[in-house]
Structures are given as structure tokens and as C-alpha cells.
Amino acid sequence: MERRALLKLGLATGGWVLAPQSASAAPLPRELLRQSSRLGAALPWVELAQFPTPVQELPALARALGVGRLFVKRDDRAGAVYGGSKVRKLELLIGAAEAAGHTTLVASGGVGSNQTLSTAFYARLRGLSARLYLLPERPSAAAREHLLAQAELGAEQHLVGSDAQVERAVRRAKDAPYVIALGGSSPLGNVGFVEAGLELAAQVRAGMLPEPAVIYLPLGTGGSAVGLALGLARARLRSKLVAVRTASQRFGTPAGLRRALGATSRLVHELEPSFPLTDKSAALEVREGFVGRGYAEPTASGRRALALAREHAALELDTTYSAKTMAALAASAKTHASESVLFWLTFDARRVSTGRMQAADLPRELRGYTRVAREH
């Protein structure tokens, strides 16, 4: 398995710098691959991140919330420099793109999307081009920094008005790009979170934490929740998975989750027949009531949860996903007063480099998003 250069922050210039690493043929330390040599041969995995991510107990935050014991799964530190949980899916999706000979990755999301920034970052790492189609959202300092960082990484950026417009642009493309589904939520991308469930189970078996009674995870496009539910079921963990809605009701519908569960389990089952076929997971619950006015729109309960996590655990949350998920946990704390709870931190709060990029370096239609003051 070839290991490419790792992107590191250039402290002198403020830009991205390529730091070469030696080649290695060592197998990926992934639980799914340990369990099946067939999957190891068939899945197009590339090594982008540091797994397993650590688990940390948060006793002060547990007391502040009123839960029995609280642990956090630190996916915010999955990437050496940046990426959060997005890297779990990208390891497979970029692997598939490279295996098929694609040289351009296409990703879409809001103008402050972590998915598009992660795609741009790891495309640059792997020597690929990134073409990003960005949907309008609430202007913010984070959106500003993401746009400038994506420009610094050499990504091509376009503001679009709808998913249909993205589909039309992809059909017209002459370079046959590899299209990453919204949020990376495709059967192949979801396998990255099947692996996450097995990874957690291995940490439980190793005594790093008790088997959680409940796990809280953000629900965006739904792929992470689907993959994690399948991984937990495969590992025979009895933990209940609460996926907290943070995006539109058009995602994570019961029918949509059922289809995604079935398609993801079929993909793995076809490669490894011992993996069970299912389109159901009794342990997966979608928690409503915390999205507020919509995607990327902060909520009062989310801001309170963000402040609690910062004060009692030194955790940095984002107002789009993780703060709303922590708010849902806080609202249900009484039901977990004697239980072990795991909070899956998907958000990487590390600042991204914008180099010397300015508004003039962006497409004209995106420049208005740079008129937001930086947050310190």
C-alpha cells in the first residue's frame, strides 16, 4: 500500500506544505480487513487517517449534564491535520476513484461544507483535482475560511442553486470525474462507518470503555448512522444508536435509511458472505427536534451545549452538527442518569490554512461570503 505525502501546515508561509513520507507496504490496521482477507483484497482502501481514534472519558461534563458516565469518540483527530469523521468515507471513495483511473473528484455541499473541504484536502494529498459545487447557506466565519482554504488547495469552486444543477454540470463534464455522493453517503462510503462500529467494539473488548448504553451521532445525509448501525450489529454490541437530525427532513427518512442499510449490507455481503444481509436496525433511532431553522442555522440549545462542552471538557463543537447533537444528549440526560453514554465527535475544530487567498481569488458569486469577520 503506497503512502503518499502527508499535508502539514506550513508555519512560515501559512500555506499547505507537502512533507514526503517513506513508502510502506504494511496492511491497513482496520478491523473490517482483519476479519476478512476477501474484503482486504476487494475494498479499494487508501490510508488517509490515523485509526483507531481514541476514546476519552469526560467526568466533569458528565456531572454537568447529569449522565452516569460520558465518553467521547475522538474522530476529530482522525486526520493528521484535518478531516474529522469525513476521512472514514473518503478512504474508500478516493480509493475507488484511483482504482478506476479518475483524476478529478467532484463533491457538493453547502458553502461551509466540511465534506467539500475534506475532499479538496485529500484530493491535493493524493495528486488529484477537486471540483466543488457549493449550495448557498448562512454566511459565517467558517464558510469564509473554507472557501479560501479550498482556493488555497487548488480546488475549482462553483456556487449552484440545487442538487439538480450539480447533476447537470456533472453530465456535461468532459473529463469523467469521480462523483462523491452528498456527504459521502453511498454504500461504499458507508462502509467506512461499518469499520467504525467494529473499531469501537474492539475498544470495548480491550477495556477502554464499557459497552455504551447509548451512542449519540449527528444525522446529516445518513450514511454515517447507517454504517455505524451495521458495524455495531456485526460486532454484537447492544448499544442504542441515536442519530440526531441536523439537516433537512428529506434526508434520513425511515424509507431512505432502510434502503441505505440494505444497499450497504448487500455490498459487504457480496464481498464477504459471512456479513449478514439486512435492511433493518432496531438499535437505530432518529432524534427529531434539534435542527432548528435548518442546516447550518445555529440554535440556542446548541450554543448552550457548545459552551458546556468547552467549559467542562475543553471540546470544541460546531453549531451545524455536533452542538445540536450534544443539545439532544443534554435534553435526555435524565434518562441516562445511571448509564454509560458515548458522544461521537465528528467535527475537526482545527483551523484550516487560507494562505494568502483573498476574495478576489474566488469566483465572483462566492466573494460575498468573505465579508464576514473572523471569529477568534
Side-chain angles (χ1 to χ4, degrees), residues 110-203:
V111 292
S113 166
N114 294 317
Q115 180 70 46
T116 60
L117 179 55
S118 297
T119 299
F121 185 97
Y122 289 101
R124 172 75 176 271
L125 172 68
R126 301 294 294 186
L128 304 170
S129 299
R131 185 174 303 141
L132 311 177
Y133 294 99
L134 307 172
L135 295 155
E137 67 175 58
R138 179 181 178 272
S140 67
R144 173 193 184 277
E145 291 197 350
H146 282 207
L147 291 170
L148 296 177
Q150 287 164 177
E152 172 72 4
L153 287 163
E156 181 184 329
Q157 303 184 78
H158 304 273
L159 185 66
V160 294
S162 66
D163 294 339
Q165 193 174 341
V166 175
E167 293 170 6
R168 287 195 295 272
V170 169
R171 284 197 300 270
R172 290 195 299 265
K174 297 179 180 179
D175 56 352
Y178 183 87
V179 181
I180 293 174
L182 195 64
S185 292
S186 65
L188 180 61
N190 299 347
V191 172
F193 263 86
V194 176
E195 162 64 25
L198 298 174
E199 177 185 305
L200 177 65
Q203 291 175 315

Coordinates of all heavy atoms in Angstrom, one line a residue, residues 110-203:
G110 N -22.9 22.6 1.2 CA -23.0 24.0 1.5 C -21.7 24.7 1.4 O -20.7 24.1 1.3
V111 N -21.8 26.0 1.3 CA -20.5 26.8 1.1 C -19.6 26.6 2.3 O -18.4 26.8 2.2 CB -20.8 28.3 0.9 CG1 -21.4 28.5 -0.5 CG2 -21.6 28.9 2.0
G112 N -20.1 26.2 3.4 CA -19.2 25.9 4.6 C -19.1 24.4 4.9 O -18.7 24.0 6.0
S113 N -19.2 23.6 3.8 CA -19.2 22.2 4.0 C -17.9 21.6 4.4 O -16.9 21.9 3.8 CB -19.6 21.5 2.6 OG -19.4 20.1 2.6
N114 N -17.9 20.8 5.5 CA -16.7 20.0 5.8 C -16.4 19.0 4.8 O -15.2 18.6 4.6 CB -16.9 19.4 7.2 CG -17.0 20.4 8.3 OD1 -16.3 21.4 8.4 ND2 -18.0 20.2 9.2
Q115 N -17.4 18.4 4.2 CA -17.2 17.4 3.1 C -16.4 17.9 2.0 O -15.5 17.3 1.5 CB -18.6 16.8 2.7 CG -18.4 15.7 1.6 CD -17.9 14.5 2.2 OE1 -18.3 14.0 3.2 NE2 -16.9 13.9 1.5
T116 N -16.8 19.1 1.5 CA -16.0 19.6 0.3 C -14.6 20.0 0.7 O -13.7 19.8 -0.1 CB -16.8 20.8 -0.3 OG1 -16.9 21.9 0.7 CG2 -18.2 20.4 -0.8
L117 N -14.4 20.6 1.9 CA -13.1 20.9 2.3 C -12.2 19.7 2.5 O -11.1 19.7 2.0 CB -13.1 21.8 3.6 CG -11.7 22.2 4.1 CD1 -10.9 22.9 3.1 CD2 -11.9 23.1 5.4
S118 N -12.8 18.7 3.1 CA -12.0 17.4 3.2 C -11.7 16.8 1.9 O -10.6 16.3 1.7 CB -12.8 16.4 4.1 OG -13.1 16.9 5.4
T119 N -12.6 16.9 1.0 CA -12.4 16.3 -0.4 C -11.2 17.1 -1.0 O -10.3 16.5 -1.6 CB -13.6 16.4 -1.2 OG1 -14.7 15.6 -0.6 CG2 -13.4 15.9 -2.7
A120 N -11.3 18.4 -1.0 CA -10.2 19.2 -1.5 C -8.8 18.9 -0.9 O -7.8 18.8 -1.6 CB -10.5 20.7 -1.4
F121 N -8.9 18.8 0.4 CA -7.6 18.5 1.1 C -7.0 17.2 0.7 O -5.8 17.1 0.4 CB -7.9 18.5 2.6 CG -6.7 18.3 3.5 CD1 -6.1 19.4 4.1 CD2 -6.2 17.1 3.8 CE1 -5.0 19.3 4.9 CE2 -5.1 16.9 4.6 CZ -4.5 18.0 5.2
Y122 N -7.8 16.1 0.7 CA -7.3 14.8 0.4 C -7.1 14.6 -1.1 O -6.2 13.7 -1.5 CB -8.1 13.7 1.1 CG -7.9 13.7 2.5 CD1 -8.8 14.3 3.4 CD2 -6.7 13.2 3.1 CE1 -8.6 14.4 4.8 CE2 -6.5 13.3 4.5 CZ -7.5 13.9 5.3 OH -7.2 14.0 6.6
A123 N -7.8 15.3 -1.9 CA -7.5 15.3 -3.4 C -6.1 15.8 -3.6 O -5.3 15.2 -4.3 CB -8.5 16.1 -4.1
R124 N -5.8 16.9 -3.0 CA -4.5 17.5 -3.1 C -3.4 16.5 -2.6 O -2.3 16.4 -3.2 CB -4.4 18.8 -2.3 CG -3.0 19.5 -2.2 CD -2.6 20.1 -3.4 NE -1.3 20.8 -3.2 CZ -1.2 22.1 -2.8 NH1 -2.3 22.8 -2.6 NH2 0.0 22.6 -2.6
L125 N -3.7 15.9 -1.5 CA -2.8 14.9 -0.9 C -2.4 13.8 -1.9 O -1.3 13.3 -2.0 CB -3.4 14.4 0.4 CG -2.7 13.2 1.1 CD1 -1.3 13.6 1.6 CD2 -3.5 12.6 2.2
R126 N -3.5 13.3 -2.6 CA -3.3 12.2 -3.5 C -3.0 12.6 -4.9 O -2.9 11.7 -5.8 CB -4.6 11.4 -3.5 CG -5.0 10.8 -2.2 CD -4.1 9.8 -1.6 NE -4.0 8.6 -2.4 CZ -3.4 7.5 -1.9 NH1 -2.7 7.5 -0.8 NH2 -3.3 6.4 -2.7
G127 N -2.7 13.9 -5.2 CA -2.4 14.3 -6.5 C -3.6 14.3 -7.5 O -3.4 14.2 -8.7
L128 N -4.8 14.5 -6.9 CA -6.0 14.6 -7.8 C -6.5 16.0 -7.8 O -6.1 16.8 -7.0 CB -7.1 13.7 -7.2 CG -6.7 12.2 -7.0 CD1 -7.8 11.5 -6.2 CD2 -6.4 11.5 -8.4
S129 N -7.4 16.3 -8.8 CA -8.1 17.6 -8.8 C -9.4 17.5 -8.1 O -10.0 16.4 -8.0 CB -8.3 18.0 -10.3 OG -7.1 18.2 -10.9
A130 N -9.8 18.6 -7.5 CA -11.1 18.7 -6.9 C -12.0 19.7 -7.5 O -11.6 20.9 -7.7 CB -11.0 19.0 -5.4
R131 N -13.3 19.3 -7.8 CA -14.3 20.3 -8.4 C -15.4 20.3 -7.4 O -16.1 19.2 -7.2 CB -14.7 19.8 -9.8 CG -15.6 20.8 -10.5 CD -15.9 20.3 -11.9 NE -14.7 20.2 -12.6 CZ -14.4 19.2 -13.5 NH1 -15.3 18.3 -13.7 NH2 -13.3 19.2 -14.1
L132 N -15.7 21.5 -6.8 CA -16.7 21.6 -5.8 C -17.9 22.4 -6.2 O -17.7 23.5 -6.7 CB -16.0 22.2 -4.5 CG -14.7 21.6 -4.1 CD1 -14.1 22.4 -2.9 CD2 -14.8 20.2 -3.8
Y133 N -19.1 21.8 -6.0 CA -20.3 22.5 -6.3 C -21.0 22.9 -4.9 O -21.3 22.0 -4.2 CB -21.2 21.7 -7.1 CG -20.7 21.4 -8.5 CD1 -20.0 20.2 -8.8 CD2 -20.8 22.4 -9.5 CE1 -19.5 20.0 -10.1 CE2 -20.3 22.2 -10.8 CZ -19.6 21.0 -11.0 OH -19.1 20.8 -12.3
L134 N -21.1 24.2 -4.7 CA -21.5 24.7 -3.4 C -22.9 25.3 -3.4 O -23.2 26.2 -4.2 CB -20.4 25.7 -2.9 CG -19.0 25.2 -3.0 CD1 -18.0 26.3 -2.7 CD2 -18.8 24.0 -2.0
L135 N -23.7 24.9 -2.4 CA -25.0 25.4 -2.3 C -25.1 26.5 -1.2 O -24.3 26.5 -0.3 CB -26.0 24.3 -1.8 CG -26.1 23.1 -2.8 CD1 -26.5 21.8 -2.1 CD2 -27.2 23.5 -3.9
P136 N -25.9 27.5 -1.4 CA -26.0 28.7 -0.5 C -26.3 28.2 0.9 O -27.1 27.3 1.1 CB -27.1 29.6 -1.1 CG -27.2 29.2 -2.5 CD -26.9 27.7 -2.6
E137 N -25.8 28.9 1.9 CA -26.1 28.7 3.3 C -25.8 30.0 4.0 O -25.3 30.9 3.4 CB -25.4 27.5 3.9 CG -23.9 27.7 4.1 CD -23.2 26.6 4.8 OE1 -23.3 25.4 4.4 OE2 -22.6 26.8 5.8
R138 N -26.2 30.0 5.3 CA -25.9 31.2 6.1 C -24.5 31.6 6.1 O -23.6 30.8 6.4 CB -26.4 30.9 7.5 CG -26.3 32.0 8.5 CD -26.7 31.5 9.9 NE -26.6 32.5 10.9 CZ -25.5 32.7 11.6 NH1 -24.4 31.9 11.4 NH2 -25.4 33.6 12.6
P139 N -24.2 32.8 5.8 CA -22.8 33.3 5.8 C -22.2 33.1 7.2 O -22.9 33.4 8.2 CB -22.8 34.7 5.4 CG -24.1 34.9 4.6 CD -25.1 33.9 5.3
S140 N -21.0 32.7 7.3 CA -20.3 32.6 8.6 C -18.8 32.7 8.4 O -18.3 32.6 7.3 CB -20.6 31.2 9.2 OG -20.1 30.2 8.5
A141 N -18.1 32.8 9.6 CA -16.6 32.9 9.5 C -16.1 31.5 9.0 O -15.1 31.5 8.3 CB -16.1 33.2 10.9
A142 N -16.7 30.4 9.4 CA -16.3 29.1 9.0 C -16.4 29.0 7.5 O -15.6 28.4 6.8 CB -17.1 28.0 9.7
A143 N -17.6 29.4 6.9 CA -17.8 29.3 5.5 C -16.7 30.1 4.8 O -16.2 29.7 3.7 CB -19.2 29.8 5.1
R144 N -16.4 31.3 5.3 CA -15.4 32.2 4.7 C -14.0 31.4 4.6 O -13.4 31.4 3.6 CB -15.2 33.4 5.5 CG -14.1 34.3 5.1 CD -13.8 35.4 6.1 NE -12.8 36.3 5.7 CZ -11.5 36.1 5.8 NH1 -11.1 34.9 6.3 NH2 -10.6 37.0 5.3
E145 N -13.7 30.8 5.7 CA -12.4 30.2 5.8 C -12.3 28.9 4.9 O -11.3 28.6 4.3 CB -12.0 29.8 7.2 CG -11.7 31.0 8.1 CD -11.0 30.7 9.4 OE1 -10.9 29.5 9.7 OE2 -10.5 31.6 10.1
H146 N -13.4 28.2 4.8 CA -13.5 27.0 4.0 C -13.3 27.4 2.5 O -12.6 26.8 1.8 CB -14.8 26.3 4.2 CG -14.8 25.5 5.4 ND1 -15.6 24.3 5.5 CD2 -14.2 25.6 6.6 CE1 -15.5 23.8 6.7 NE2 -14.6 24.5 7.4
L147 N -14.0 28.5 2.1 CA -13.9 28.9 0.7 C -12.4 29.3 0.4 O -11.9 28.9 -0.7 CB -14.8 30.0 0.4 CG -16.3 29.7 0.4 CD1 -17.1 31.0 0.4 CD2 -16.7 28.8 -0.7
L148 N -11.8 30.0 1.2 CA -10.4 30.5 1.0 C -9.5 29.3 1.1 O -8.5 29.3 0.3 CB -10.1 31.6 2.0 CG -10.9 32.9 1.8 CD1 -10.5 33.9 2.9 CD2 -10.7 33.5 0.4
A149 N -9.7 28.4 2.0 CA -8.8 27.2 2.1 C -8.9 26.4 0.9 O -7.9 25.8 0.4 CB -9.1 26.5 3.4
Q150 N -10.2 26.2 0.4 CA -10.3 25.4 -0.8 C -9.6 26.0 -2.0 O -9.1 25.3 -2.9 CB -11.8 25.2 -1.1 CG -12.5 24.2 -0.1 CD -14.0 24.2 0.0 OE1 -14.5 23.5 0.8 NE2 -14.6 25.1 -0.7
A151 N -9.7 27.3 -2.1 CA -8.9 28.0 -3.1 C -7.4 27.8 -3.0 O -6.7 27.5 -4.0 CB -9.2 29.5 -3.1
E152 N -6.9 27.9 -1.8 CA -5.5 27.6 -1.5 C -5.1 26.2 -1.9 O -4.0 26.0 -2.3 CB -5.2 27.9 0.0 CG -3.9 27.5 0.5 CD -2.8 28.4 0.0 OE1 -3.1 29.4 -0.6 OE2 -1.6 28.1 0.3
L153 N -6.0 25.3 -1.7 CA -5.7 23.9 -2.1 C -5.9 23.6 -3.6 O -5.6 22.5 -4.0 CB -6.7 23.0 -1.3 CG -6.4 22.8 0.2 CD1 -7.6 22.2 0.9 CD2 -5.1 22.0 0.4
G154 N -6.2 24.6 -4.3 CA -6.3 24.5 -5.8 C -7.6 23.9 -6.3 O -7.8 23.5 -7.5
A155 N -8.7 23.9 -5.4 CA -10.0 23.3 -5.9 C -10.7 24.3 -6.8 O -10.7 25.5 -6.6 CB -10.8 23.0 -4.6
E156 N -11.4 23.8 -7.7 CA -12.3 24.5 -8.6 C -13.7 24.6 -7.8 O -14.2 23.6 -7.4 CB -12.5 23.8 -9.9 CG -13.3 24.4 -10.9 CD -13.5 23.5 -12.2 OE1 -12.5 22.8 -12.5 OE2 -14.6 23.6 -12.8
Q157 N -14.2 25.9 -7.7 CA -15.4 26.1 -6.9 C -16.5 26.8 -7.7 O -16.2 27.7 -8.4 CB -15.1 26.9 -5.7 CG -14.0 26.3 -4.8 CD -13.7 27.1 -3.5 OE1 -14.5 27.0 -2.6 NE2 -12.7 27.9 -3.5
H158 N -17.7 26.2 -7.5 CA -18.9 26.8 -8.2 C -20.0 26.9 -7.3 O -20.4 26.0 -6.6 CB -19.3 25.9 -9.4 CG -18.2 25.6 -10.4 ND1 -17.9 26.4 -11.5 CD2 -17.3 24.6 -10.4 CE1 -16.9 25.9 -12.1 NE2 -16.5 24.8 -11.5
L159 N -20.7 28.1 -7.3 CA -21.9 28.2 -6.5 C -23.1 27.8 -7.4 O -23.3 28.2 -8.5 CB -22.1 29.7 -6.1 CG -23.3 30.0 -5.2 CD1 -23.1 29.4 -3.8 CD2 -23.6 31.5 -5.1
V160 N -23.9 26.9 -6.8 CA -25.1 26.3 -7.5 C -26.3 26.5 -6.7 O -26.3 26.7 -5.5 CB -24.9 24.9 -7.9 CG1 -23.7 24.7 -8.9 CG2 -24.6 24.0 -6.6
G161 N -27.5 26.4 -7.3 CA -28.7 26.6 -6.6 C -29.5 25.4 -6.2 O -30.4 25.5 -5.4
S162 N -29.1 24.2 -6.7 CA -29.8 23.0 -6.4 C -29.0 21.8 -6.7 O -28.0 21.8 -7.5 CB -31.1 22.9 -7.2 OG -30.8 22.8 -8.6
D163 N -29.4 20.6 -6.1 CA -28.7 19.4 -6.5 C -28.9 19.0 -7.9 O -28.0 18.4 -8.6 CB -29.3 18.2 -5.6 CG -29.1 18.4 -4.1 OD1 -28.1 19.1 -3.8 OD2 -29.8 17.8 -3.3
A164 N -30.0 19.4 -8.5 CA -30.3 19.1 -10.0 C -29.2 19.9 -10.8 O -28.8 19.3 -11.8 CB -31.7 19.5 -10.3
Q165 N -28.9 21.1 -10.4 CA -27.9 21.8 -11.1 C -26.5 21.1 -11.1 O -25.8 21.1 -12.1 CB -27.8 23.2 -10.6 CG -27.0 24.2 -11.5 CD -27.1 25.6 -10.9 OE1 -27.9 26.0 -10.1 NE2 -26.1 26.5 -11.4
V166 N -26.2 20.5 -9.9 CA -25.0 19.8 -9.8 C -25.0 18.6 -10.8 O -24.0 18.3 -11.5 CB -24.8 19.3 -8.3 CG1 -23.6 18.4 -8.2 CG2 -24.7 20.4 -7.4
E167 N -26.1 17.9 -10.8 CA -26.2 16.7 -11.7 C -26.0 17.1 -13.2 O -25.4 16.4 -13.9 CB -27.6 16.0 -11.5 CG -27.7 15.4 -10.1 CD -29.1 14.9 -9.8 OE1 -30.0 15.0 -10.7 OE2 -29.4 14.5 -8.7
R168 N -26.6 18.2 -13.5 CA -26.5 18.7 -14.9 C -25.0 19.0 -15.2 O -24.5 18.7 -16.3 CB -27.4 19.9 -15.2 CG -28.8 19.6 -15.3 CD -29.6 20.7 -15.9 NE -29.6 21.9 -15.1 CZ -30.5 22.2 -14.1 NH1 -31.4 21.3 -13.8 NH2 -30.4 23.3 -13.4
A169 N -24.3 19.7 -14.3 CA -22.9 20.0 -14.5 C -22.1 18.8 -14.6 O -21.1 18.7 -15.5 CB -22.4 20.9 -13.4
V170 N -22.3 17.8 -13.8 CA -21.6 16.5 -13.9 C -21.8 15.8 -15.2 O -20.8 15.3 -15.9 CB -21.9 15.6 -12.7 CG1 -21.3 14.2 -12.9 CG2 -21.4 16.2 -11.4
R171 N -23.0 15.8 -15.7 CA -23.3 15.2 -17.0 C -22.6 15.9 -18.2 O -22.2 15.2 -19.1 CB -24.8 15.2 -17.3 CG -25.6 14.1 -16.5 CD -27.0 13.9 -17.1 NE -27.8 15.1 -17.1 CZ -28.6 15.5 -16.1 NH1 -28.7 14.8 -15.0 NH2 -29.3 16.6 -16.3
R172 N -22.4 17.2 -18.0 CA -21.7 17.9 -19.1 C -20.2 17.8 -19.0 O -19.5 18.2 -20.0 CB -22.1 19.4 -19.0 CG -23.6 19.7 -19.4 CD -23.8 21.1 -19.7 NE -23.5 22.0 -18.5 CZ -24.4 22.4 -17.7 NH1 -25.7 22.0 -17.8 NH2 -24.1 23.1 -16.6
A173 N -19.7 17.4 -17.9 CA -18.2 17.3 -17.8 C -17.6 16.4 -18.8 O -18.1 15.3 -19.1 CB -17.9 16.9 -16.3
K174 N -16.5 16.8 -19.3 CA -15.8 16.1 -20.4 C -14.6 15.2 -19.8 O -14.0 14.5 -20.6 CB -15.3 17.0 -21.5 CG -16.4 17.7 -22.2 CD -15.9 18.7 -23.2 CE -17.0 19.4 -24.0 NZ -16.5 20.4 -25.0
D175 N -14.3 15.4 -18.5 CA -13.1 14.7 -18.0 C -13.5 13.5 -17.2 O -12.7 12.9 -16.4 CB -12.3 15.6 -17.2 CG -13.1 16.3 -16.1 OD1 -14.3 16.2 -16.0 OD2 -12.4 17.0 -15.2
A176 N -14.8 13.0 -17.2 CA -15.2 11.8 -16.5 C -14.8 11.8 -15.0 O -14.0 11.0 -14.6 CB -14.7 10.6 -17.2
P177 N -15.2 12.8 -14.2 CA -14.8 12.9 -12.8 C -15.5 11.8 -12.0 O -16.5 11.2 -12.4 CB -15.3 14.2 -12.4 CG -16.6 14.5 -13.2 CD -16.2 13.9 -14.6
Y178 N -14.9 11.5 -10.8 CA -15.5 10.6 -9.9 C -16.3 11.4 -9.0 O -15.9 12.3 -8.3 CB -14.4 9.9 -9.1 CG -15.0 8.8 -8.1 CD1 -15.2 7.5 -8.5 CD2 -15.3 9.2 -6.8 CE1 -15.7 6.6 -7.7 CE2 -15.8 8.2 -5.9 CZ -16.0 7.0 -6.4 OH -16.6 6.0 -5.5
V179 N -17.6 11.1 -8.9 CA -18.6 11.9 -8.2 C -18.8 11.3 -6.8 O -19.2 10.1 -6.6 CB -19.9 12.0 -8.9 CG1 -20.9 12.8 -8.1 CG2 -19.7 12.6 -10.3
I180 N -18.5 12.1 -5.8 CA -18.7 11.7 -4.4 C -20.1 12.1 -4.0 O -20.5 13.3 -4.1 CB -17.7 12.3 -3.4 CG1 -16.3 11.7 -3.8 CG2 -18.0 12.1 -2.0 CD1 -15.2 12.4 -3.0
A181 N -20.9 11.2 -3.5 CA -22.3 11.5 -3.1 C -22.3 12.5 -2.0 O -21.4 12.7 -1.3 CB -23.0 10.2 -2.7
L182 N -23.4 13.2 -1.9 CA -23.6 14.2 -0.9 C -23.3 13.6 0.5 O -23.8 12.6 0.9 CB -25.0 14.8 -0.9 CG -25.3 16.1 -0.2 CD1 -24.5 17.2 -0.8 CD2 -26.8 16.4 -0.2
G183 N -22.3 14.2 1.2 CA -21.9 13.7 2.5 C -21.1 12.5 2.4 O -20.8 11.9 3.5
G184 N -20.7 12.0 1.2 CA -20.0 10.8 1.1 C -20.9 9.5 1.4 O -20.4 8.4 1.5
S185 N -22.2 9.8 1.4 CA -23.2 8.7 1.8 C -23.6 7.9 0.6 O -24.7 8.1 0.0 CB -24.4 9.3 2.5 OG -24.0 9.9 3.8
S186 N -22.8 6.9 0.3 CA -23.1 5.9 -0.7 C -22.8 4.6 0.0 O -22.1 4.5 1.0 CB -22.2 6.1 -1.9 OG -20.8 5.8 -1.6
P187 N -23.3 3.5 -0.6 CA -22.9 2.2 0.0 C -21.5 2.0 0.3 O -21.1 1.5 1.4 CB -23.5 1.1 -1.0 CG -24.6 1.8 -1.6 CD -24.2 3.3 -1.7
L188 N -20.6 2.4 -0.6 CA -19.2 2.2 -0.4 C -18.7 3.1 0.7 O -17.9 2.8 1.6 CB -18.4 2.4 -1.7 CG -16.9 2.3 -1.6 CD1 -16.5 0.9 -1.2 CD2 -16.2 2.7 -3.0
G189 N -19.1 4.4 0.6 CA -18.7 5.4 1.6 C -19.1 4.9 3.0 O -18.4 5.0 4.0
N190 N -20.4 4.4 3.1 CA -20.9 4.0 4.4 C -20.1 2.9 5.1 O -20.1 2.7 6.3 CB -22.4 3.5 4.2 CG -23.3 4.6 3.7 OD1 -22.9 5.7 3.7 ND2 -24.5 4.1 3.3
V191 N -19.4 2.1 4.2 CA -18.5 1.0 4.8 C -17.5 1.6 5.7 O -17.1 0.9 6.7 CB -17.9 0.2 3.6 CG1 -16.9 -0.8 4.2 CG2 -19.0 -0.6 2.9
G192 N -17.1 2.8 5.5 CA -16.1 3.4 6.4 C -16.7 3.5 7.9 O -15.9 3.4 8.8
F193 N -18.0 3.6 8.0 CA -18.6 3.6 9.3 C -19.0 2.2 9.8 O -19.2 2.0 11.0 CB -19.7 4.6 9.4 CG -19.3 5.9 10.0 CD1 -18.8 6.9 9.1 CD2 -19.4 6.2 11.3 CE1 -18.3 8.1 9.6 CE2 -19.0 7.4 11.9 CZ -18.4 8.4 11.0
V194 N -19.1 1.3 8.9 CA -19.2 -0.1 9.4 C -17.9 -0.4 10.1 O -17.9 -1.0 11.2 CB -19.4 -1.1 8.2 CG1 -19.4 -2.5 8.7 CG2 -20.7 -0.8 7.5
E195 N -16.8 0.0 9.5 CA -15.5 -0.2 10.2 C -15.5 0.5 11.5 O -14.9 0.0 12.5 CB -14.4 0.3 9.2 CG -13.1 0.7 9.9 CD -12.4 -0.6 10.5 OE1 -12.6 -1.7 10.0 OE2 -11.6 -0.4 11.4
A196 N -16.1 1.7 11.6 CA -16.1 2.5 12.8 C -16.8 1.7 14.0 O -16.3 1.7 15.1 CB -16.7 3.8 12.6
G197 N -17.9 1.0 13.6 CA -18.6 0.2 14.6 C -17.7 -0.9 15.1 O -17.7 -1.2 16.4
L198 N -17.0 -1.6 14.2 CA -16.1 -2.7 14.6 C -14.9 -2.2 15.5 O -14.4 -2.8 16.4 CB -15.6 -3.4 13.4 CG -16.7 -4.1 12.5 CD1 -16.1 -4.7 11.3 CD2 -17.4 -5.2 13.3
E199 N -14.4 -1.0 15.1 CA -13.3 -0.3 15.8 C -13.8 -0.1 17.3 O -13.0 -0.3 18.2 CB -13.0 0.9 15.1 CG -11.9 1.8 15.8 CD -11.7 3.1 15.0 OE1 -11.4 3.0 13.8 OE2 -11.8 4.1 15.7
L200 N -15.0 0.5 17.4 CA -15.5 0.8 18.8 C -15.6 -0.5 19.6 O -15.2 -0.6 20.8 CB -16.8 1.5 18.7 CG -17.4 1.8 20.1 CD1 -16.6 2.7 20.9 CD2 -18.9 2.3 19.9
A201 N -16.1 -1.6 18.9 CA -16.3 -2.8 19.6 C -14.9 -3.4 20.1 O -14.8 -3.9 21.2 CB -16.9 -3.9 18.7
A202 N -13.9 -3.2 19.3 CA -12.6 -3.7 19.7 C -12.1 -2.9 20.9 O -11.4 -3.4 21.8 CB -11.6 -3.5 18.6
Q203 N -12.4 -1.6 21.0 CA -12.0 -0.8 22.1 C -12.8 -1.2 23.4 O -12.2 -1.2 24.5 CB -12.2 0.7 21.8 CG -11.2 1.2 20.8 CD -11.5 2.6 20.3 OE1 -12.7 3.0 20.1 NE2 -10.5 3.4 20.2

